[in-house]
Amino acid sequence: MTGAPAPQVCWYGDDFTGATDTLAEVARAGLRSLLFLSVPSPAQLERAGPLDAIGIAGAARGMAPEEMASELRAVGEFMAGTGARVLHYKCCSTFDSAPHVGSIGAAVRELRRHLPNPIVPIVGGQPSIGRYCSFAQLFARAGAAPEIHRIDRHPVMSVHPVTPMHEADLRRHLAAQGLAGIRSVPHIDYPSAADVPAVDDWIDRLLDTADGPLLLDLVDESQLAVIGRLIRRAAARAPLLAVGPSSVQQALARASPTPREGMAPPTPLASADGPVLVVAGSLSPVTARQIAAAESYARQPLVTERLLADPDYAAQQVQQAAAMLAQGRNVLAHTDKPSGAVNAEQTAATALATARLVADIVRASAQAGRRLNRIGIAGGDTSSQATLALGLWGLAFRCVLAPGVTVSVARSDDPVTDGIELMLKGGQMGGERLFDELAAGGG
C-alpha cells in the first residue's frame, strides 16, 4: 500500500459471519472500513478508497493447521505491510477450535511472525452477546435464553459436531493447540477505567513484565475501556497481534481518542424491496427455532443426503425456489436434521452444497427476471462458502439486525450480485423472529 495512509487496524475473521460482526464494530466506531474476501488486489484497494480499517474474511476455522499456515502467511504479510499497529485475529466468541481444525494456536504461531511485538493480548469474552471470561474460565449464553453455561457444559458448544468444547479454562484449551505460556490477567486486578493515570501505570507495569500471550478476563462492558487502552499502549511500542472475538474492536473503540457519540447512526433496514431468500445450513437449535418461528416465508425443506448425492435433485430445488421468488414470495430453504451423528467431512460437504444452492438460486432468479436484493444465510460454514460461490470480493457495513448479526452490502464485479443486502448469521445468533425481521426491516 505504498503512498496510502496506514489503517488504524486490520482484522482477519476465521469465518465469514464473525468477520461481518467485526465489520459492524469498526464501522460503528466511525472507521472507514471494508471487509475483503481474500487478500485484496491493488485494483480492489483503489476501488475501496481510503480505509481506516481493513478486514479479510476467511475460513480458517474449518482448516487443518498446515492449510491455516498457508492462508495466514499471505494475510500476515499483507496486513503487516499496511503499517497498521493492530492486527486482530477474530476467532469465534466461544473459542471453539481444536488442535486438528481451526487451531487458534496455529493461527497465532503464523501471524505473530509478521509483527515485532512479543505481547499477544487475548480477549476472552464479549458481554454484548452473552460471552464472559472470569479467571480464565469461559462462559456463554445459548441463543436468547437467559441462562449462562460454563462452555464445557454448554448445551450446544459442548457437543459441537466438529469442535466440541470440553475445556473451560482457555489457558488449557489453547495450550493443547500449542499456545503455551499464557499469562492470565484476572478482572479483579483491573483499575477503574475512570482513573486514567492509574490505568496507564497498571498497564505499563504489566507490559514491562509480560512477554507472550496475555489472556484478559472480560465479564462486564465497563472493562472494555481498560482492555482497549492496554492494547493501544502495547501497540504504541510496536505493532502487535490481538486475538479474540469482536470485543477486541469494542475495546479499541472505547479507548479511542475519537468519541463515538458524534457519529450519525446507520439507517435502519427498510422493508425488503422484493422477495427475500434465506438459506439455512445450520444444525443449531437456535436456527431451528428461527425456522419454526418464521411466518413470512414459503418453507422449502432440503433432504441433505439427496442434495449431496443427486445433481438432479439440487437442480430441482433451485428451480422450485426461483419459481416461488418469481411470484414475489419469500423463500426459506433449510437442510433437514440428520438421523445420526455428523462428522467434520459431512459438515463441510453440506456447507459446500448449500452454498452452491444459494448461488444457483440467485442466478436462476436473475435469469427469470427477478433480481434478488436481500439474502440471509444461516450457518458459519455455509455463509463462508456461499459468499465465495456468489463471486463477491468485498462487503460493506449496512446495519446490525440483532446482536452478533450484521447486514452487509455486497461488492462484486457482477451486476447480479453487486449491491445485494446480505445477512450472514452464525448458528447461535439472533432471536426467534430474526428471519421475519430480515424481510420486514429493523436494526
Side-chain angles (χ1 to χ4, degrees):
M1 297 182 63
T2 304
Q8 295 183 32
V9 65
C10 292
W11 83 95
Y12 173 92
D14 69 353
D15 72 1
F16 282 40
T17 59
T20 60
D21 183 49
T22 303
L23 171 66
E25 294 297 341
V26 297
R28 292 192 295 179
L31 303 183
R32 297 170 297 181
S33 52
L34 194 71
L35 176 64
F36 295 93
L37 305 188
S38 62
V39 173
S41 68
Q44 290 167 348
L45 287 169
E46 185 174 355
R47 284 186 61 180
L51 295 172
D52 304 309
I54 296 175
I56 295 177
R61 187 175 171 187
M63 294 180 181
E66 297 78 12
E67 189 179 6
M68 291 179 70
S70 177
E71 164 150 328
L72 295 176
R73 187 171 302 118
V75 170
E77 290 173 354
F78 166 76
M79 289 185 170
T82 67
R85 305 298 294 188
V86 178
L87 192 170
H88 172 200
Y89 182 78
K90 196 279 177 194
C91 64
C92 184
S93 60
T94 51
F95 280 77
D96 49 307
S97 51
H100 65 285
V101 60
S103 169
I104 296 171
V108 171
R109 285 195 298 275
E110 175 57 42
L111 290 175
R112 71 187 303 186
R113 296 195 309 108
H114 304 278
L115 299 159
N117 200 319
I119 306 296
V120 181
I122 303 171
V123 180
Q126 187 171 340
S128 63
I129 55 173
R131 310 293 191 253
Y132 309 93
C133 186
S134 178
F135 300 102
Q137 311 296 307
L138 184 62
F139 300 82
R141 182 179 292 121
E147 294 83 5
I148 304 298
H149 308 270
R150 203 174 71 184
I151 200 68
D152 58 335
R153 298 178 182 176
H154 192 279
V156 177
M157 302 316 303
S158 65
V159 292
H160 190 283
V162 181
T163 50
M165 290 293 288
H166 295 151
E167 175 57 67
D169 190 324
L170 289 180
R171 294 167 297 184
R172 295 172 63 89
H173 177 64
L174 296 175
Q177 300 173 22
L179 190 55
I182 297 175
R183 176 176 172 179
S184 175
V185 184
H187 59 89
I188 60 171
D189 287 353
Y190 297 174
S192 170
D195 189 346
V196 175
V199 170
D200 287 347
D201 181 63
W202 175 79
I203 290 172
D204 290 341
R205 284 186 282 108
L206 179 63
L207 295 180
D208 288 342
T209 59
D211 183 10
L214 292 177
L215 175 58
L216 302 166
D217 277 2
L218 178 54
V219 298
D220 186 272
E221 292 201 2
S222 64
Q223 297 159 355
L224 286 168
V226 174
I227 293 172
R229 196 163 183 87
L230 185 155
I231 295 173
R232 287 191 180 278
R233 286 182 77 83
R237 299 186 178 194
L240 59 71
L241 170 67
V243 177
S246 294
S247 52
V248 171
Q249 299 300 331
Q250 293 173 343
L252 290 171
R254 294 287 183 94
S256 173
T258 303
R260 298 172 61 167
E261 288 76 9
M263 293 178 51
T267 305
L269 197 66
S271 178
D273 179 16
V276 176
L277 170 67
V278 171
V279 176
S282 168
L283 301 178
S284 163
V286 175
T287 300
R289 290 193 291 270
Q290 292 164 341
I291 293 170
E295 297 179 349
S296 55
Y297 293 81
R299 287 183 177 78
Q300 185 175 343
L302 303 170
V303 181
T304 304
E305 291 182 1
R306 294 190 65 187
L307 191 66
L308 296 177
D310 186 351
D312 290 338
Y313 174 79
Q316 291 167 6
Q317 298 305 308
V318 169
Q319 294 307 314
Q320 178 180 331
M324 289 189 288
L325 291 163
Q327 296 168 6
R329 302 170 68 188
N330 299 330
V331 173
L332 171 53
H334 58 91
T335 53
D336 58 356
K337 186 175 181 179
S339 56
V342 179
N343 58 36
E345 291 75 15
Q346 290 171 312
T347 300
T350 302
L352 185 58
T354 51
R356 288 172 178 162
L357 190 79
V358 172
D360 289 345
I361 292 172
V362 169
R363 295 188 175 103
S365 296
Q367 290 172 0
R370 175 70 79 170
R371 181 189 182 277
L372 299 181
N373 294 313
R374 187 173 297 174
I375 300 171
I377 304 173
D381 293 336
T382 299
S383 294
S384 299
Q385 295 292 346
T387 311
L388 295 174
L390 287 167
L392 311 183
W393 58 262
L395 294 171
F397 175 68
R398 173 63 183 83
C399 69
V400 172
L401 190 59
V405 181
T406 300
V407 177
S408 305
V409 179
R411 295 286 180 256
S412 171
D413 295 326
D414 184 351
V416 170
T417 53
D418 187 51
I420 286 178
E421 293 175 327
L422 181 62
M423 180 198 79
L424 304 179
K425 183 197 91 70
Q428 297 299 304
M429 298 300 168
E432 290 190 357
R433 306 292 300 178
L434 182 70
F435 296 153
D436 287 334
E437 291 167 0
L438 177 65

